[in-house]
Amino acid sequence: MRSESAGDGYVRWFRDLRNSDVPIVGGKNASLGEMYSQLSAQGIRVPNGFALSAQAYRDALFEAGAWSRLHQLLDGTDKSDVEGLAKRGAEARQVVYEATGTRRLRDEIGAAYAELEKQYGPDVAVAVRSSATAEDLPNASFAGQHESFLHVRGKKDLFEACRRCFASIFTDRAIVYRIDNGFDHFKVALSVGVMKMIRSDLGASGVIFTLDTESGFRDVVFITGTYGLGENLVQGRVDPDEFYVHKPTFRKGARAVLRRTLGAKQMRMVYAHRRGVGSTRNTPTSAPDRARFCLQDSEVLTLAGYAIQIEDHYSRAAGHPMPMDIEWAKDGKDGFLYIVQARPETAASRRAPEVFDSFTLKGTGQVLVSGRAVGEKIATGTVRVVSERQSLSSFLPGEVLVADTTTPDWEPVMKSAAAIVTNRGGRTCHAAIVARELGVPAVVGAAGATEELQAGAQVTVSCAEGDIGTVYAGKLAFEITKIPRGELPRPRTQIMVNLADPDLAFKTAMLPNDGVGLARMEFIVTDHIGVHPMALVMPDKIKSTKATATIARLTRGYAHPADFFLQKLSEGIGTIAAAFYPKPVIVRLSDFKTNEYAKLIGGVDFEPKEDNPMLGFRGASRYTHPAYAAGFALECAALRRVREDMGLNNLYVMVPFCRRLEEGRKVIDAMSTHGLKQGENGLEIYVMCEIPNNVIQIDAFATLFDGFSIGSNDLTQLTLGVDRDSEIVAFDFDERDPGMLEMLRLAVSGARRNRSHVGICGEAPANYPEIARFLVQQGIDSISVNPSSLLRTITLVHEAEQRESASASS
């Protein structure tokens, strides 16, 4: 195992290393050398250092005659014998530790350290990190298997740290890792990296991914960070701050944080202020530090810029896109940000949805209850009947949530449910809308569900059998058919999605789509803000001390309470717009009813009580009214920030429930006053076509607005005179009624006559194939449905187009 180059020095300085040197110094050190030598000149700060080659490890063991002893210890190791493994591992580490204590290594390490002292000052602190390599597998990853030592000072302590780092090749976890992955213990060697220690104990540190780690979405940089040294974050001991930056608009010059989440950052790892190898300790993070982000926006953007440069560099070298996993550190003394590691990301980048799922029930069983089906999936689980909000704390992830109905404050639990069943509600109720967003099957309007479904019973919830959703007794078999992306037809009609939850934006954007036909602003207000906008503009009018205290807590750290609303709303909308960029995203201005606004924190002091909120102070009538004009100004400011600061000019605006032309003119004028001028920077303003007057006067409305989106729920309700929330008459709510079909025909033909875009954003085309076919016959431009209905709608519309073409040709 002795090399021909044994007489060469073992030290390799970062300036002399490239990515191609993995066999010599392992992946970590080769990557550090690549960045230091190639990217430092581009402005990326990488601390200097050197690597001890893997040959140093091999030669030391050869000269000590250690190989035979290591074979005796490790050949045929049984990983299930935990006690025996620990004993063998400890002896193997001792063998390596003793073998690497040579005079030559001591001298070379000491001389290299002296060179670092010339650059950084006497007794400079360094980090000592392992970098494994395999003779026959140069690209193998051994992340987290070996030891690292931080804040090492002086030649003596550095030599000790390097020996312990070499010995860590036989940690118990590394031995098991190699056994599990089929690696020969003796074809893996260790290189040791020594680099100038960044004083992140006084600053912050974290990890960057050049994609979203959950969905694999490629167009964002995802940055996490915490105070102090980075070990706590890597080991999962703290909840870090999180930030997203949108790569395409960043490349075009936009400089804005897309989205951020404040982490608890429970503790901070710092130096222990005593000599020795790896002397660190944890201290509790102070309350003020926990309440603020560990990075300023400017620093987040600097790191994002570094990450994009690194990804571009590695992608060019690889000849294909190369998402990266990057470690960063902020030095608390000089205030600079440094990159201390980079490696290709190999997990999330493989999650692209090349295959889509279709569910089919295979078994049969007793029908317990049935109602309206939401989504096209099947799920099984244990029934949990929730009668009141207080009972939600006992809900376990994966259970079937059964309730009379649901409200927005139930959503954290709904996100973990296997399925949802409610006594009441139709396809437009809260439970249905949230279930669609989450991709969770739901059966709504299942009368008697809370009595018929017994707590603790196993059930199957099927929403894959058409309009009717069914809850069966027991766990029934079902099949999931995979549909390859390449086999999915793409119709001429645009198929868009309805979306409200920014948390689902990246995942949903990876499905085949033509953009977002309806982004529901009010759901972002409910789920991510929770406070009435007027309560933030006029806090002195709030009568409830509890509401005042809650608002003070939520807005702590903001210069003005209204800034909280502005940031949260713009980041929620911006996330959706970024996910689908450059495809169009049509965001609907807030469309709460007064009773819904009143449920927001502080809302009761700003909302009138109405007997019929569905036909009351809602939609366009609110935006220029003195009772809400200041709140509307905040909505416009958020939209302007998304379009201008974030650079997401694919965002269009839609005005809901616009009763009269004069009302529409006032809204458009108010938007212009707030910096959202129609036509400027490509801004298009649409109107919901959901009131019969919108259809009757469609020629006049077309002179004001750039396009129409048919809201089939309200238009059906107002055309048929049916209150869709009334259990007594809701059965008469049917989009297939001849009168309703005539309304749809008039709306589409009227928009086309005026050369205006016309789409539909209700679920009618997804629920009823005949309506999808009818709209295609009329020549509608787009159909927008919830994500759970997307694949079926694409197929239905494509088939309808094929039939229409065949009829025309005959």
Side-chain angles (χ1 to χ4, degrees):
M1 293 190 180
R2 192 175 180 86
S3 168
E4 293 292 330
S5 61
D8 299 337
Y10 293 134
V11 171
R12 301 286 188 273
W13 286 94
F14 288 171
R15 62 176 176 266
D16 300 321
L17 292 173
R18 301 292 185 274
N19 252 340
S20 57
D21 291 319
V22 171
I24 299 172
V25 294
K28 288 181 183 178
N29 288 334
S31 184
L32 280 167
E34 178 76 16
M35 289 190 295
Y36 185 84
S37 63
Q38 304 299 303
L39 297 178
S40 292
Q42 299 181 27
I44 296 178
R45 296 180 183 275
V46 182
N48 195 12
F50 60 88
L52 299 174
S53 68
Q55 195 60 45
Y57 166 83
R58 297 189 184 100
D59 286 354
L61 267 60
F62 178 84
E63 292 166 4
W67 293 112
S68 59
R69 177 57 181 153
L70 290 173
H71 273 287
Q72 292 174 7
L73 289 169
L74 299 170
D75 286 350
T77 300
D78 180 4
K79 69 174 186 179
S80 64
D81 180 5
V82 178
E83 185 176 340
L85 174 66
K87 182 178 179 182
R88 289 168 181 261
E91 289 189 36
R93 291 193 295 275
Q94 186 62 31
V95 168
V96 176
Y97 178 81
E98 292 175 357
T100 52
T102 66
R103 170 62 63 181
R104 179 180 175 183
L105 271 175
R106 184 189 300 273
D107 290 345
E108 290 202 29
I109 292 168
Y113 182 73
E115 288 297 312
L116 274 184
E117 287 184 306
K118 290 179 183 178
Q119 181 177 354
Y120 292 117
D123 212 30
V124 59
V126 294
V128 181
R129 308 178 74 178
S130 63
S131 182
T133 186
E135 289 179 339
D136 56 346
L137 291 169
N139 295 317
S141 171
F142 299 91
Q145 304 307 312
H146 311 113
E147 299 293 349
S148 295
F149 301 96
L150 307 176
H151 193 224
V152 178
R153 289 182 180 274
K155 296 179 181 180
K156 179 181 177 182
D157 286 348
L158 175 56
F159 182 51
E160 173 71 9
C162 289
R163 293 177 69 187
R164 289 171 60 180
C165 205
F166 276 130
S168 72
I169 193 169
F170 293 119
T171 60
D172 297 354
R173 61 182 180 273
I175 294 171
V176 173
Y177 176 87
R178 289 191 292 271
I179 293 172
D180 288 343
N181 288 277
F183 296 136
D184 186 332
H185 295 302
F186 306 103
K187 288 187 177 180
V188 177
L190 209 64
S191 167
V192 174
V194 178
M195 65 190 300
K196 195 262 185 184
M197 187 76 210
I198 304 305
R199 292 301 305 270
S200 58
D201 63 309
L202 304 176
S205 58
V207 178
I208 307 171
F209 290 92
T210 59
L211 46 54
D212 175 48
T213 55
E214 295 306 308
S215 65
F217 182 72
R218 299 285 186 92
D219 282 351
V220 288
V221 175
F222 176 45
I223 300 170
T224 64
T226 190
Y227 297 116
L229 304 172
E231 295 302 302
N232 283 335
L233 189 151
V234 173
Q235 296 175 17
R237 296 196 192 107
V238 296
D239 299 320
D241 293 335
E242 297 180 350
F243 310 87
Y244 285 95
V245 175
H246 188 231
K247 287 192 283 189
T249 48
F250 187 96
R251 292 182 189 279
K252 290 186 175 182
R255 294 294 181 268
V257 175
L258 178 66
R259 194 177 184 194
R260 77 202 76 207
T261 303
L262 184 68
K265 304 182 294 293
Q266 295 93 332
M267 63 185 75
R268 178 198 303 255
M269 182 177 283
V270 299
Y271 297 151
H273 299 297
R274 63 176 183 269
R275 297 303 292 246
V277 176
S279 298
T280 60
R281 62 189 176 90
N282 275 313
T283 61
T285 306
S286 68
D289 280 348
R290 293 180 64 175
R292 65 180 177 86
F293 288 97
C294 66
L295 290 171
Q296 301 292 323
D297 279 13
S298 60
E299 295 172 325
V300 173
L301 296 171
T302 295
L303 288 174
Y306 285 174
I308 291 171
Q309 285 179 268
I310 292 169
E311 181 181 52
D312 288 348
H313 178 82
Y314 281 76
S315 296
R316 282 193 297 269
H320 57 81
M322 182 71 76
M324 299 297 293
D325 172 355
I326 302 165
E327 296 176 21
W328 65 269
K330 177 183 177 181
D331 194 306
K333 282 195 168 182
D334 63 26
F336 291 129
L337 295 162
Y338 294 85
I339 301 299
V340 296
Q341 189 53 255
R343 63 182 69 85
E345 198 284 333
T346 58
S349 55
R350 298 176 181 175
R351 296 180 193 158
E354 296 301 325
V355 177
F356 305 109
D357 297 336
S358 176
F359 289 71
T360 305
L361 189 66
K362 305 300 288 185
T364 59
Q366 177 189 357
V367 175
L368 299 177
V369 293
S370 60
R372 306 296 294 274
V374 177
E376 298 169 14
K377 295 184 177 181
I378 301 171
T380 61
T382 303
V383 169
R384 173 76 66 171
V385 179
V386 178
S387 57
E388 55 187 6
R389 188 180 184 282
Q390 288 72 18
S391 306
L392 291 173
S393 59
S394 61
F395 189 88
L396 300 177
E399 292 183 325
V400 175
L401 174 63
V402 179
D404 182 53
T405 187
T406 66
T407 60
D409 54 355
W410 287 36
E411 289 180 25
V413 163
M414 296 171 73
K415 289 182 178 181
S416 67
I420 299 167
V421 183
T422 64
N423 290 338
R424 297 186 290 146
R427 284 204 173 99
T428 58
C429 71
H430 175 265
I433 292 171
V434 173
R436 289 192 192 98
E437 291 279 348
L438 298 174
V440 172
V443 179
V444 297
T450 52
E451 287 77 33
E452 296 296 330
L453 302 181
Q454 299 300 309
Q458 292 289 312
V459 297
T460 298
V461 179
S462 175
C463 295
E465 302 170 88
D467 295 343
I468 304 301
T470 305
V471 181
Y472 296 95
K475 297 181 68 172
L476 304 183
F478 61 90
E479 181 179 78
I480 304 176
T481 302
K482 304 292 184 179
I483 305 172
R485 176 188 287 272
E487 296 179 10
L488 194 68
R490 294 306 298 269
R492 295 186 303 275
T493 307
Q494 292 183 332
I495 307 300
M496 308 175 82
V497 294
N498 301 333
L499 196 62
D501 190 347
D503 293 339
L504 301 174
F506 298 148
K507 176 183 176 182
T508 305
M510 297 175 75
L511 296 171
N513 69 83
D514 293 301
V516 177
L518 173 62
R520 298 182 178 95
M521 180 187 291
E522 61 271 13
F523 278 75
I524 299 173
V525 174
T526 297
D527 295 354
H528 297 272
I529 299 172
V531 183
H532 195 290
M534 294 301 293
L536 296 168
V537 175
M538 302 178 179
D540 55 313
K541 291 192 175 183
I542 302 173
K543 299 175 183 177
S544 167
T545 55
K546 181 180 179 181
T548 299
T550 301
I551 293 172
R553 176 178 55 80
L554 290 172
T555 60
R556 184 176 58 230
Y558 292 87
H560 306 283
D563 293 343
F564 166 73
F565 185 93
L566 173 61
Q567 179 181 295
K568 292 292 185 182
L569 184 58
S570 62
E571 290 184 0
I573 294 171
T575 298
I576 296 174
F580 292 84
Y581 183 88
K583 298 173 185 176
V585 171
I586 304 170
V587 62
R588 185 177 67 190
L589 296 167
S590 64
D591 192 26
F592 283 126
K593 289 80 174 175
T594 50
N595 59 323
E596 294 169 333
Y597 267 116
K599 292 179 182 178
L600 296 172
I601 299 170
V604 70
D605 296 312
F606 297 93
E607 295 297 328
K609 291 185 178 181
E610 298 181 298
D611 291 333
N612 192 350
M614 185 72 76
L615 296 178
F617 189 41
R618 62 174 288 202
S621 64
R622 297 182 64 93
Y623 306 142
T624 58
H625 193 284
Y628 191 73
F632 181 62
L634 282 182
E635 293 185 26
C636 290
L639 294 171
R640 183 178 178 182
R641 179 171 184 260
V642 173
R643 288 182 52 83
E644 296 182 4
D645 295 354
M646 295 182 179
L648 295 163
N649 56 10
N650 62 319
L651 184 74
Y652 304 152
V653 181
M654 184 154 63
V655 179
F657 220 75
C658 184
R659 296 175 172 95
R660 298 167 52 251
L661 289 168
E662 184 58 29
E663 202 170 55
R665 290 192 188 96
K666 288 181 179 180
V667 173
I668 291 173
D669 289 344
M671 289 177 63
S672 180
T673 300
H674 296 310
L676 293 172
K677 188 173 182 180
Q678 191 174 22
E680 197 169 90
N681 193 24
L683 175 61
E684 296 184 7
I685 302 177
Y686 288 17
V687 66
M688 290 288 292
C689 184
E690 56 188 344
I691 299 171
N693 196 38
N694 301 144
V695 180
I696 295 167
Q697 294 201 80
I698 197 162
D699 294 324
F701 276 99
T703 65
L704 286 179
F705 295 97
D706 298 297
F708 299 88
S709 183
I710 300 169
S712 60
N713 292 332
D714 271 341
L715 188 58
T716 302
Q717 177 174 241
L718 296 174
T719 298
L720 301 181
V722 174
D723 180 358
R724 67 177 190 255
D725 289 338
S726 170
E727 294 182 24
I728 297 177
V729 298
F731 67 91
D732 266 337
F733 182 90
D734 193 339
E735 296 98 326
R736 297 167 295 181
D737 184 271
M740 184 59 202
L741 293 178
E742 179 64 7
M743 274 291 189
L744 293 176
R745 186 191 69 79
L746 291 171
V748 175
S749 63
R752 290 177 62 81
R753 181 170 62 248
N754 288 279
R755 297 182 179 180
S756 297
H757 176 93
V758 59
I760 186 169
C761 58
E763 282 295 298
N767 294 334
Y768 305 112
E770 57 268 43
I771 290 184
R773 289 192 287 269
F774 178 79
L775 291 169
V776 168
Q777 291 169 358
Q778 305 309 309
I780 198 164
D781 294 313
S782 66
I783 294 175
S784 188
V785 297
N786 286 289
S788 61
S789 304
L790 188 63
L791 300 182
R792 183 175 70 171
T793 303
I794 287 173
T795 302
L796 285 173
V797 171
H798 180 263
E799 291 174 352
E801 289 177 348
Q802 295 297 101
R803 281 194 290 269
E804 190 68 15
S805 297
S807 298
S809 61
S810 62

